[in-house]
Structure formats: structure tokens, C-alpha cells
Amino acid sequence: MGTTQLEAAPEPKYWHLKTVLSEALDSEFAVGEILPNERDLAARFGVARATLRQALEQLELEGRLQRRRGVGTTVAPPRVGVDVSATGHDWPGASGDAWQAVDCVRDAAPAAVADMLETAPDESVHVLRRTRVSHGQPVAAELLYVPAASVPDLTAIDAPSGAARARAVLRELQRLGLDGQDRAVELGSARADDAKELDRLPGAPVLVVTTRYFSEGTTAAVSMATYRADTCRLTFGDTPDVEIHHAPHTQAS
Amino acid sequence: MGTTQLEAAPEPKYWHLKTVLSEALDSEFAVGEILPNERDLAARFGVARATLRQALEQLELEGRLQRRRGVGTTVAPPRVGVDVSATGHDWPGASGDAWQAVDCVRDAAPAAVADMLETAPDESVHVLRRTRVSHGQPVAAELLYVPAASVPDLTAIDAPSGAARARAVLRELQRLGLDGQDRAVELGSARADDAKELDRLPGAPVLVVTTRYFSEGTTAAVSMATYRADTCRLTFGDTPDVEIHHAPHTQAS
DNA sequence: CAGTGGTCTAGACCACAAT
DNA sequence: TTGTGGTCTAGACCACTGT
């Protein structure tokens, strides 16, 4: 002891912990396996629970762990590749897209969206809610804003709200010519409503994909889709689900 | 008082705090302005410093705040739109791309990268480091992995490492025909080296953009670019830098 | 019910930047 | 040196999930 004490730059404990845990995950745990609880782990490493939690939080952020209140901490499977490419340049709701309509109401769009739609900030638009499921798990929740002007022929026959109404709006959208679209990705934290759809706590990290759909020189619709950042990898090319592993997996049988 | 005490679902303090602060930022602070220090703020809201910090952390994650040790907490400007589209289908280093070569060494690629390159896990490849600057601020750090087989004519004349070597490798890459590329975005946390380039602390949230370059049926190079998640919005369309504001800005004069 | 992760407190000390 | 944010502690209680 004492011979290797050249630590000029003292690494934070939680950072070192994270490294140690990460290596342990690679070599000693299988996907889905549950870890010891936080109090035991903290004791085992000789740190306060808050410090241990700081390390776990980072590992969860990186998609290595999954924590559920009342249940425990489990080793997460590799992130799911979710295709987000603008392949067909299709409208949302085109046949075979990955989304499922949930609801539709009329409401004012948030300022940032009204800005993109070039509508008045208080103008009521159609707000569709859709969800996207992959491998049986919900991966994204979307709010799709459609100005009334984009679906002029929408009949009053359909229900004023609900999933049926949402499908009606999407159907009307298809009648427009789609000139192109435009996409951005940024980090955000889940609002309470999105968190519920995604089976996460409010504030959970999400990747927010904002898409603008152009038709006849104007922005005909805006989609704000929030993907679970812990479980998703957004893919834009033609190779949706290549296995990316962090380390050699334990062999099966 | 007491008439509105119907809170069936008690909101966490830090969540409520975040909302309050967020609204204050919209209405009472200008970009670049410095907030009161954490101890004062915590006292003002009647919470422990750790709780206040939980709220500040979320706001920083959302790009609303910027915190620097020894300096203070400032109101962040809107996120910068950074173009990441695969427009020209060009090789990295093509004339006019946004990157600046920093260094080049030979090293073994990490397992996940070796996998994509279809090289042996311990095979030495060229590892280029580049950085990307936007509006005077570093926004991304990249590691570009190039197998020796992709640049067979690389001469020994050039320096064995350093920026000049990096440019030489890029120059050789241009000679290959580029069949296409393939991109993925996911959330990560900055490694120590990337954090240094990005002027952030290790562990800071980053958007990791993985690009595979295909040539003649094989993966000729792999790029792993880490973008500052707090300050960047990755854009894929043709509208790189539309202003997205969270709320009405205070008027300038 | 018992056990888990989530929230919160009131302190302490450290690393860094500006003065 | 002063003041800032970053790390860390040793507790406490709450909300949720399972049995």
C-alpha cells in the first residue's frame, strides 16, 4: 500500500463506482438479472446511499440499468434501434407506420409549435396523441398538431374527440400533397402526461424528435415525439437493429 | 385558506420548484443573466440545497440553464441547431465539412466499433480525433475509426501522429467510392476526454451520433461523435437554425 | 405486510475561478 | 481569499409493488 498513491486528479467516488459497476455488469450479470438493493450495495462499497444512487443514475442514463420503484434494479437489455428515417416522405398515419392513434382534442398549441405552424398563439388546432410500441414496450409518445386549415374537409360526422376522431384527421391529412419534412432531435425531460404513456417517472430523460411537414409552401403539421432515452437508439439509415454490445456477452448454454 | 388543498397527487418539491423557476426564467430573466447562488435560492424557496439542485439539474438538462463551478448559474441561450444531415453523402473531411482535425493515433477500436468494422477486436486502426465548433463554442467531439485496409496507400512520409497525420488519412479516404452511410443517435454521458474537449464535466449528458460509412460492400469507417446535449439540437432537414423559444422573450428596448 | 426505489434534510468539505 | 458549484454523508420519511 502507499506505492500507487499518485492520484494527482482525485476521481469522484460516484464516477469510480460507476466504472466498477459497469465492469461488473459486463462480466458478472445477465440481462434482466436484479441487483442487490441500494442500501446493501452502498454498504458493500462503503459509501452513502446518495453517492451510490449517483452512479446508478448515470448507468440508467446510459441504458445499462433499469430501476423500478417498489421492484428493484435490473440489468437492462441493449437499446432498441428505432427507425426514425424519413424514408417514404409519407404523412403520419400512412399505411404501415409504427404509430397507434390514441386520442384527439382541440386545443391551443404551445408557443414554440404555433410559431412553426405560423398560426396565432391562441388558435385552436387538432392535437392528436399517438404512441409507438416496439417489442411489446412503449417507446415513444407523440403529440401531433394539425391546424384546421390543413384538414378543411373534416366532417362533423366523426366523433368530436377520441381515437376515431384522430384516425379521421389522419385520413384527411393524406389528401394533401406532401412537399417534404424537416426533423430535429434534442434532449428533454418527460412531461407528466408523456411519462405516463412511457411508463416512466416525470422528468425521465427523453429524446424529443420534432418533425415539420410541409405542404404547398406552408407547415401543414408539426409532430413532437418523445422517445425513451434509456431504452431507445434512434436510427436514420437503413440498418434499424444492429446489435451493439458493450462487452462480451455471457454465452447462452 | 385551506380551500384549495385537494392535492390528491402530491407533486415532488423539486418538480414544483422546476416549474416555478422555469416560469421565472421566461418572464424575469434575460439570456446570460446570472441567478442567485444555490444557497440563497434554496433559502428563498425554503428547501434544502440538494432539493434545489435537483430542480436546477433538470433545467440544465433541458438547456435552460448553464452552471459553471466557481462562477455561477446563468440563463442559457436557446439551443443551437447543428446540421447532422447526410446531405452530400460525403466522406468525413470532404471540403467544407464542419470538422477540424486534431490528432491521429493508432489504437485498437472498442469492441462495439470493431464489431461494426468487422475487424478483429484487437486489430489496430487509425483513430482520428476531430472537433466541431459552432458560433465560437465547441459543440462536438468525434472519434473516427479507419481500418488500415481503407487507406492502403497511406504513405509513411506523413507524420506518424498528430493533426497532419489525421488530414493525410482523411485525404486518402476521399479516394474510395462512398456507397452510403447509416446513422444512429442515442443518449450517453461524456467520457473524460470528450468532456475536456467540450468544456464540460465528465458524465455530462451528450448525444452520441454513430455513423457508418460503407464502401464496396464493407464498412470503411465508423464515426462516434458526441454532441453537447445541453446546448445542441441536432437537425436533419434543411432548416438548420430556426429559433425555438420557450416563451415570450423580454422585449429589447 | 415487508421491501424497494424516490424524495428530502442539514449539515460538511472539496475543486475551481475570480479578485 | 472569497464565493461559486460539485461531492459526500447519515440519517428520515414517502410512494409504490409485490405477497
Side-chain angles (χ1 to χ4, degrees):
Chain A
M1 37 234 307
T3 57
T4 53
Q5 45 162 332
L6 307 174
E7 342 181 0
E11 208 174 33
K13 276 190 189 178
Y14 79 91
W15 186 261
H16 180 241
L17 246 185
K18 180 192 140 186
T19 308
V20 171
L21 284 169
S22 181
E23 286 165 1
L25 289 179
D26 289 337
S27 59
E28 296 170 31
F29 287 87
V31 167
E33 196 170 343
I34 67 177
L35 270 60
N37 72 53
E38 297 182 348
R39 290 162 180 88
D40 284 353
L41 272 181
R44 180 177 312 186
F45 287 105
V47 299
R49 190 178 156 218
T51 304
L52 187 266
R53 277 180 61 82
Q54 214 172 337
L56 294 185
E57 256 150 43
Q58 286 234 357
L59 289 170
E60 191 180 29
L61 201 78
E62 293 173 22
R64 309 286 313 273
L65 291 179
Q66 194 158 342
R67 298 190 289 174
R68 275 176 303 170
R69 166 153 53 176
V71 179
T73 302
T74 59
V75 179
R79 283 193 174 128
V80 178
V82 180
D83 186 24
V84 185
S85 57
T87 49
H89 277 246
D90 280 328
W91 284 107
S95 61
D97 83 352
W99 295 88
Q100 183 173 354
V102 170
D103 195 10
C104 176
V105 298
R106 287 194 66 114
D107 198 2
V113 173
D115 217 49
M116 290 189 276
L117 290 173
E118 294 165 58
T119 60
D122 54 352
E123 180 181 328
S124 166
V125 300
H126 300 282
V127 182
L128 312 215
R129 178 168 274 291
R130 300 194 299 166
T131 60
R132 183 168 178 174
V133 174
S134 180
H135 301 75
Q137 295 298 319
V139 293
E142 180 202 43
L143 286 180
L144 180 65
Y145 299 91
V146 183
S150 294
V151 286
D153 299 335
L154 192 64
T155 65
I157 300 176
D158 304 290
S161 64
R165 175 68 164 192
R167 285 188 289 271
V169 172
L170 291 173
R171 193 189 333 119
E172 287 301 309
L173 256 190
Q174 313 295 325
R175 303 161 69 103
L176 261 67
L178 178 61
D179 294 342
Q181 60 189 57
D182 171 272
R183 203 153 267 188
V185 177
E186 62 188 312
L187 180 58
S189 51
R191 296 191 315 276
D193 52 346
D194 288 332
K196 199 163 190 176
E197 301 271 5
L198 298 176
D199 195 27
R200 299 256 57 197
L201 289 177
V206 291
L207 296 171
V208 181
V209 180
T210 307
T211 310
R212 301 200 283 175
Y213 296 91
F214 300 111
S215 176
E216 297 165 20
T218 72
T219 305
V222 166
S223 155
M224 305 238 8
T226 67
Y227 288 79
R228 285 185 58 154
D230 55 343
T231 58
C232 293
R233 199 176 76 250
L234 307 184
T235 65
F236 289 82
D238 29 17
T239 319
D241 212 340
V242 177
E243 181 95 344
I244 292 189
H245 31 69
H246 303 281
H249 289 167
T250 52
Q251 270 181 279
S253 77
Chain B
M1 26 230 318
T3 57
T4 53
Q5 46 162 337
L6 306 174
E7 341 182 0
E11 210 173 30
K13 276 190 190 178
Y14 79 91
W15 185 262
H16 180 242
L17 245 185
K18 182 191 139 189
T19 308
V20 171
L21 284 169
S22 181
E23 287 165 1
L25 288 179
D26 290 336
S27 59
E28 298 170 30
F29 287 87
V31 167
E33 197 169 342
I34 67 176
L35 269 60
N37 72 52
E38 296 182 350
R39 291 164 179 86
D40 285 353
L41 272 181
R44 179 175 314 187
F45 287 104
V47 299
R49 191 177 155 219
T51 304
L52 172 76
R53 278 179 61 82
Q54 215 171 336
L56 294 184
E57 258 150 42
Q58 286 236 356
L59 289 170
E60 191 180 29
L61 200 78
E62 294 174 21
R64 309 287 312 272
L65 292 179
Q66 194 157 345
R67 298 190 288 173
R68 275 174 302 170
R69 168 156 47 180
V71 180
T73 301
T74 59
V75 180
R79 283 192 174 129
V80 179
V82 181
D83 187 25
V84 184
S85 57
T87 51
H89 277 244
D90 280 329
W91 284 108
S95 62
D97 83 352
W99 295 88
Q100 184 173 353
V102 171
D103 195 11
C104 177
V105 298
R106 287 194 66 115
D107 197 1
V113 174
D115 216 50
M116 290 188 276
L117 289 173
E118 294 165 57
T119 60
D122 56 350
E123 180 181 328
S124 166
V125 301
H126 301 283
V127 182
L128 311 217
R129 178 168 273 291
R130 300 194 299 167
T131 60
R132 182 168 178 174
V133 174
S134 180
H135 300 75
Q137 295 298 319
V139 293
E142 181 201 43
L143 286 180
L144 179 66
Y145 300 91
V146 182
S150 295
V151 286
D153 298 336
L154 192 66
T155 64
I157 300 175
D158 305 289
S161 65
R165 176 68 166 189
R167 285 187 291 270
V169 172
L170 291 173
R171 193 190 333 119
E172 285 303 309
L173 255 190
Q174 313 296 324
R175 304 162 68 104
L176 260 67
L178 178 60
D179 294 341
Q181 60 188 56
D182 173 90
R183 202 152 267 189
V185 178
E186 62 187 312
L187 179 59
S189 50
R191 297 189 316 273
D193 52 347
D194 289 332
K196 197 164 192 175
E197 301 270 7
L198 299 177
D199 193 27
R200 300 257 56 199
L201 289 177
V206 291
L207 296 171
V208 181
V209 180
T210 306
T211 310
R212 301 199 285 175
Y213 296 90
F214 300 111
S215 176
E216 298 165 19
T218 72
T219 304
V222 166
S223 155
M224 305 238 3
T226 66
Y227 289 79
R228 284 185 59 154
D230 55 343
T231 58
C232 292
R233 198 176 76 251
L234 306 184
T235 65
F236 289 82
D238 29 17
T239 319
D241 211 341
V242 179
E243 180 96 345
I244 290 187
H245 32 71
H246 302 280
H249 289 165
T250 53
Q251 270 181 279
S253 74

